[in-house]
């Protein structure tokens, strides 16, 4: 094992093992999750935004799919590696209506989604998604009901829908909350104002967990938010922010940490309220931050610089996104990819590369970065 990873695992045991009161004793029998139902934003969107609005342009998708795949990434996302590890197909977006098989789950995530009703203008006039978490829950509730109607009717579409018992046995994953913070910042709210809103944001999240539980969900795998202060977008937009030892914007990472602390406490309360559920808090922040503190040891380089971007210290600009065209000195230039994304952390200044997603998934799926410390494949077992 890489010595750096050993250090992180040791620290995670201190953070998530001995200090939480949870033991590391659990059933050794792997869960057989028949499906995944995912809720989130762009970090786990596998085609929802593309189906509803517009497909991300090349070079998005080039590394793994060889073409745009509805993902804002050069390849696979954490939710894709989750499906692969559980021997399930990649998740299809609920919004995609073309040749879709939902028998192994559905993805309700879309780019720019928030937990609360967005306050920014929604796409296409603005940058926010209308598919906030409560609407994603409503879509799931409708999907659960209608899919069973289709199965009862029989015919060629019945086999493309999940069985009734699938919903109780499925894994429910969540990767959302980042946009609630960043969209507020870009609406000129102060960090203090965003912090004041965090309890309400987390309460809305908890309400949706309760609603899903009432519909039969029992296994919840919840990612916290990423170190946004390390994003080229934040570093470019707020250049005067105080930096930490690795060059990340300290106040904005503290904001993410504040959200994560509230989320962790909320999930602990939900575990008390719903003792028949397995509710796991997954510290993606801690896992990903290691890419900034020890990039070379982990096989990466220039972690604060976007791979697909144009302009400035961090190769990020607001004039054109990855794959779009920008006019420079009278010439049109496509905002393209760096030579080898497999060595890079940031894909487009906001999202991570496939390589960074794989690195993070390998760490967090072990359970060493979770509370309670349950590996992904054992996340169906009660503690």
């Amino acid at each position: 094992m890489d010595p750096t990873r050993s250090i992180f695992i040791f620290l995670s045991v201190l953070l998530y093992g001995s200090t939480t009161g949870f033991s590391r004793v659990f059933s050794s029998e792997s869960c057989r999750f028949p499906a995944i139902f995912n809720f989130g934003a762009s970090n786990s969107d596998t085609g929802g935004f593309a189906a509803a609005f517009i497909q991300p342009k090349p070079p998005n998708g080039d590394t793994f799919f060889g073409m745009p795949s509805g993902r804002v990434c050069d390849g696979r996302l954490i939710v894709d590696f989750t499906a692969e590890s559980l021997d399930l197909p990649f998740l299809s977006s609920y919004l995609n209506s073309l040749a879709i098989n939902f028998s192994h789950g559905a993805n309700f995530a879309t780019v720019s989604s928030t937990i609360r009703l967005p306050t920014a203008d929604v796409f296409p006039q603005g940058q926010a998604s209308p598919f906030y978490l409560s609407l994603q829950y409503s879509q799931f509730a409708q999907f659960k009901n209608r899919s069973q109607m289709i199965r009862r009717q029989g015919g060629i579409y019945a086999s493309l829908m999940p069985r009734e018992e699938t919903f109780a046995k499925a894994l429910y994953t969540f990767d959302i909350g980042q946009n609630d913070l960043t969209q507020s910042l870009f609406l000129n709210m102060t960090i203090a104002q965003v912090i004041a809103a965090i309890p309400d944001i987390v309460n809305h999240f908890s309400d949706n967990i309760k609603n899903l539980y009432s519909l039969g969900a029992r296994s919840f795998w919840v990612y916290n938010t990423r170190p946004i202060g390390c994003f080229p977008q934040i570093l470019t937009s707020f250049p005067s922010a105080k930096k930490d030892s690795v060059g990340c914007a300290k106040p904005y990472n503290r904001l993410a940490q504040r959200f994560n602390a509230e989320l962790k406490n909320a999930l602990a309360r939900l575990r008390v309220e719903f003792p028949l559920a397995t509710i796991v808090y997954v510290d993606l922040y801690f896992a990903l931050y290691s890419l900034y503190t020890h990039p070379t040891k982990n096989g990466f380089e220039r972690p604060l610089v976007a791979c697909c971007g144009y302009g400035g210290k961090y190769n990020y600009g607001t004039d054109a996104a990855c794959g779009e065209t920008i006019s420079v000195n009278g010439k049109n230039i496509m905002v393209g990819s760096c030579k080898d994304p497999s060595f890079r952390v940031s894909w487009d200044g906001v999202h991570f590369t496939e390589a960074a997603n794989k690195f993070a998934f390998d760490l967090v799926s072990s359970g060493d970065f979770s509370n309670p410390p349950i590996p992904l494949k054992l996340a169906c077992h009660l503690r």
Side-chain angles (χ1 to χ4, degrees):
M1 179 182 292
D2 179 81
T4 302
R5 185 170 186 268
S6 298
I7 293 172
F8 289 123
I9 291 176
F10 171 73
L11 290 173
S12 69
V13 170
L14 293 180
L15 288 170
Y16 308 117
S18 61
T19 61
T20 62
F22 291 109
S23 71
R24 292 287 299 186
V25 179
F26 40 73
S27 171
S28 60
E29 184 179 352
S30 294
C31 304
R32 293 184 175 234
F33 293 114
I36 301 171
F37 295 104
N38 181 71
F39 304 82
S42 53
N43 288 310
S44 62
D45 182 358
T46 56
F49 191 86
F53 298 110
I54 187 171
Q55 175 81 259
K57 298 178 180 179
N60 285 288
D62 278 3
T63 295
F64 183 79
F65 301 98
M67 58 185 290
S69 63
R71 296 157 175 79
V72 190
C73 179
D74 63 305
R76 290 164 290 182
L77 309 175
I78 288 176
V79 69
D80 295 316
F81 293 116
T82 302
E84 286 184 338
S85 74
L86 299 176
D87 296 322
L88 294 174
F90 291 151
L91 288 187
S92 297
S93 169
Y94 169 78
L95 295 174
N96 195 345
S97 60
L98 301 175
I100 297 303
N101 186 339
F102 290 120
S103 62
H104 295 288
N107 192 351
F108 300 88
T110 65
V111 169
S112 297
S113 288
T114 50
I115 294 173
R116 296 195 303 180
L117 183 70
T119 53
D121 291 337
V122 299
F123 194 86
Q125 286 76 25
Q127 296 300 312
S129 168
F131 302 105
Y132 68 110
L133 185 57
S134 292
L135 183 53
Q136 292 182 26
Y137 161 75
S138 296
Q139 291 175 325
F140 170 80
Q142 183 179 135
F143 172 80
K144 185 177 185 230
N145 180 52
R146 294 184 64 190
S147 65
Q148 298 315 292
M149 290 175 57
I150 293 171
R151 285 195 66 88
R152 287 192 294 270
Q153 290 170 358
I156 61 174
Y157 299 111
S159 63
L160 302 178
M161 299 295 128
R163 298 176 181 274
E164 184 177 3
E165 61 270 20
T166 294
F167 293 95
K169 296 178 180 179
L171 178 69
Y172 292 76
T173 57
F174 303 82
D175 192 348
I176 194 168
Q178 177 178 307
N179 292 322
D180 291 85
L181 306 182
T182 57
Q183 287 181 15
S184 297
L185 293 171
F186 289 111
L187 287 174
N188 296 320
M189 290 178 65
T190 65
I191 290 179
Q193 288 173 322
V194 181
I195 288 175
I198 288 175
D200 187 56
I201 296 171
V202 173
N203 284 339
H204 276 76
F205 182 86
S206 296
D207 288 343
N208 281 282
I209 294 289
K210 294 176 184 179
N211 291 337
L212 286 165
Y213 183 90
S214 71
L215 291 182
R218 291 298 180 267
S219 298
F220 300 89
W221 187 261
V222 183
Y223 293 108
N224 67 6
T225 203
R226 294 156 174 78
I228 62 173
C230 303
F231 290 4
Q233 178 198 48
I234 294 294
L235 293 167
T236 299
S237 302
F238 305 100
S240 62
K242 187 176 180 179
K243 307 300 190 295
D244 64 13
S245 61
V246 297
C248 298
K250 224 171 182 179
Y252 298 94
N253 272 350
R254 285 176 177 167
L255 173 62
Q257 291 166 356
R258 184 66 173 267
F259 172 85
N260 291 341
E262 293 275 355
L263 177 64
K264 183 178 181 181
N265 290 335
L267 295 182
R269 292 190 293 270
L270 287 170
R271 280 194 290 270
V272 174
E273 185 173 353
F274 301 112
L276 296 181
T278 302
I279 303 174
V280 184
Y281 168 87
V282 186
D283 196 346
L284 198 55
Y285 179 106
F286 191 77
L288 283 169
Y289 191 66
S290 65
L291 292 179
Y292 301 100
T293 56
H294 299 87
T296 303
K297 288 183 179 180
N298 289 312
F300 292 85
E301 61 186 23
R302 305 180 74 193
L304 300 177
V305 179
C307 172
C308 188
Y310 186 88
K313 180 179 179 181
Y314 305 104
N315 197 37
Y316 177 84
T318 58
D319 295 333
C322 177
E324 295 183 349
T325 301
I326 187 172
S327 179
V328 179
N329 298 325
K331 293 183 179 180
N332 288 332
I333 298 176
M334 192 194 88
V335 180
S337 171
C338 58
K339 184 177 180 180
D340 191 348
S342 68
F343 291 102
R344 303 295 283 274
V345 175
S346 177
W347 170 237
D348 61 358
V350 181
H351 308 94
F352 289 82
T353 60
E354 176 183 275
N357 287 330
K358 179 65 163 61
F359 174 88
F361 173 77
D362 287 344
L363 287 184
V364 300
S365 61
S366 68
D368 292 319
F369 295 79
S370 301
N371 186 303
I374 305 177
L376 174 66
K377 291 186 177 181
L378 302 179
C380 63
H381 297 298
L382 294 176
R383 301 308 303 261

